Amino acid sequence: MLRALELAERGRGMVEPNPMVGALVVKDGNVLAEGWHERFGGPHAEVIALDRTSASGGQAKGATLYVTLEPCAHFGKTPPCVEKIISSGIRKVVFPLIDPNPLTSGKGRQGLLEAGIEVVEGVLREESKKLNAPFFKLMTTGMPYVIAKWAMSLDGKTATHTGDSRWVSSKESREYVHKVRSQVDAVVVGINTVLRDDPLLTSRIAGGIRLRRTKRIVLDSQARLPMDCKLLKSLEESEVIIATTTSAPEEKVEALKKAGGEVLILKGDERGVDPAEVLKVLGQRQYTNVLLEGGGALTASFFEKGLVDRVMVFISPKIIGGEEAKSPVGGKGVASVKESVRLKEIQITRFAEDVLIEGEIL
């Protein structure tokens, strides 16, 4: 099962909104074939592993199939995997946990049992759920998984008092961020970040490798996005979605639409666009995960509503100083340290002179 999880990871950024899945066919202690879900709309891991077993002259009859999620039992982009498993003669299927997708949840296991196939459930359950945390959140809450990312100096500043932020982090850190962008459905920023930095927000990876066309989303309650900004000038690279409110001037909304941006008019809160409303719309569109790239006011609004699932913080060995220098998380903040947001499953990685600290929200 550990090997199956390793295989599943290869599909990251390619299979969403489907889960990442890996599979192995094992007989008499030998691995006959293995596979993973390689791209959205393509064959599932179980089917690939079984087809490779046949192609290599192996016999799946009487073998055991290890797969990182309950095999599907519904028609989607591809036929049900359960039918393929049953017809192959597999004797036993081992998987960590039930698929949370209501279209198939529990039906795959039931179909296998009714066909007389032995089912073993629960092997490396937590590891499998962690691998597909975004998929599980989408299926259970209807909203995408949110990763809050920022880069800051050693004294906790994301920019100087003049607003200069280029570059707080190292080239190596920025290259890694481009890779992460390529693995999510959307990058989300606030209008103040756009007005200050005029970012492109695309995924630019050395060698031109691109896993998918990551959308770019701006929370802009008054439709202030400039017509000459880099976002609107690069629509051929990726779509731009502007989330605004009913209080935005109609002429500005129409101008943004005419410029090629998609405009979402949503409920507002005391800060402007309600981030929860944005995530609900994205969930309806089957967005699995989004990368929140600030600034401080926007990041605070997501934290205050409990909408952040994971944090990625790049810390650079620089001292910026200044009472008016920008901090990564604005808002009112908590009244006591005991109320602070805590992380679990901490990971620490080095990128040149920077240190990346990341973890799940506790």
Side-chain angles (χ1 to χ4, degrees):
M1 190 60 74
L2 282 171
R3 174 58 179 165
L5 288 168
E6 289 177 357
L7 293 169
E9 175 66 35
R10 297 182 184 182
R12 186 177 297 278
M14 301 293 289
V15 303
E16 292 82 359
N18 285 349
M20 294 174 280
V21 180
L24 289 85
V25 178
V26 179
K27 190 173 185 180
D28 300 326
N30 298 311
V31 176
L32 301 184
E34 55 187 32
W36 64 94
H37 188 25
E38 299 175 6
R39 60 179 178 82
F40 179 69
H44 289 188
E46 306 95 308
V47 172
I48 291 174
L50 289 169
D51 284 346
R52 287 176 177 171
T53 298
S54 300
S56 64
Q59 290 292 324
K61 185 175 182 180
T64 297
L65 175 69
Y66 290 84
V67 59
T68 57
L69 194 65
E70 175 193 21
C72 69
H74 71 290
F75 278 92
K77 293 287 185 180
T78 60
C81 292
V82 166
E83 294 182 2
K84 178 82 170 183
I85 294 168
I86 293 171
S87 65
S88 73
I90 285 287
R91 178 181 61 84
K92 179 167 71 173
V93 176
V94 182
F95 59 84
L97 69 177
I98 296 295
D99 190 328
N101 186 341
L103 291 174
T104 196
S105 186
K107 297 175 184 177
R109 175 179 59 183
Q110 186 62 31
L112 295 172
L113 291 172
E114 290 176 355
I117 296 173
E118 181 184 353
V119 172
V120 178
E121 181 188 343
V123 179
L124 298 186
R125 177 184 176 86
E126 291 307 313
E127 289 84 349
S128 177
K129 191 171 184 179
K130 179 181 177 182
L131 175 74
N132 281 305
F135 173 73
F136 274 82
K137 183 184 179 185
L138 179 63
M139 289 296 109
T140 56
T141 71
M143 294 194 292
Y145 186 87
V146 177
I147 306 166
K149 164 261 161 186
W150 63 82
M152 67 182 189
S153 62
L154 209 54
D155 56 335
K157 306 297 183 181
T158 58
T160 68
H161 69 91
T162 65
D164 179 41
S165 61
R166 297 189 178 182
W167 294 102
V168 172
S169 59
S170 67
K171 177 175 177 289
E172 290 79 1
S173 294
R174 298 195 300 275
E175 287 175 348
Y176 182 70
V177 170
H178 283 292
K179 178 181 177 182
V180 174
R181 282 181 184 172
S182 75
Q183 296 173 339
V184 299
D185 292 298
V187 175
V188 181
V189 297
I191 183 58
N192 290 331
T193 295
V194 178
L195 294 176
R196 183 183 68 243
D197 299 336
D198 193 18
L200 194 55
L201 301 178
T202 53
S203 173
R204 302 180 295 282
I205 301 176
I209 300 171
R210 179 176 237 166
L211 301 186
R212 53 179 157 167
R213 293 172 67 86
T214 303
K215 310 294 190 302
R216 297 166 294 171
I217 302 175
V218 183
L219 272 60
D220 180 10
S221 62
Q222 295 302 307
R224 293 187 291 155
L225 190 69
M227 295 298 114
D228 61 348
C229 69
K230 290 179 182 177
L231 292 174
L232 293 178
K233 285 184 175 180
S234 59
L235 290 172
E236 73 284 352
E237 290 283 319
S238 178
E239 298 173 39
V240 173
I241 300 172
I242 303 100
T244 191
T245 64
T246 52
S247 64
E250 186 175 343
E251 65 273 14
K252 290 188 176 181
V253 170
E254 291 305 314
L256 289 172
K257 291 179 180 178
K258 188 174 181 179
E262 179 186 356
V263 179
L264 301 176
I265 301 178
L266 305 172
K267 291 181 183 178
D269 59 16
E270 66 280 0
R271 291 180 179 274
V273 180
D274 185 343
E277 293 300 313
V278 176
L279 293 183
K280 288 176 185 176
V281 171
L282 299 184
Q284 291 167 2
R285 297 183 178 192
Q286 295 294 289
Y287 282 36
T288 310
N289 46 25
V290 299
L291 183 64
L292 190 63
E293 295 208 36
L298 179 71
T299 303
S301 71
F302 275 77
F303 271 111
E304 288 169 3
K305 295 202 171 188
L307 299 173
V308 177
D309 300 288
R310 186 173 182 83
V311 173
M312 297 178 62
V313 181
F314 293 87
I315 303 174
S316 176
K318 299 180 176 76
I319 306 294
I320 290 176
E323 292 182 0
E324 296 181 6
K326 303 293 183 182
S327 296
V329 184
K332 185 177 179 181
V334 298
S336 66
V337 174
K338 287 193 298 184
E339 299 174 82
S340 60
V341 176
R342 302 288 299 275
L343 303 183
K344 62 180 180 179
E345 299 179 12
I346 306 298
Q347 297 176 358
I348 300 175
T349 311
R350 184 82 175 264
F351 290 96
E353 71 269 21
D354 296 347
V355 173
L356 167 62
I357 298 179
E358 55 187 324
E360 307 288 321
I361 299 296
L362 188 61

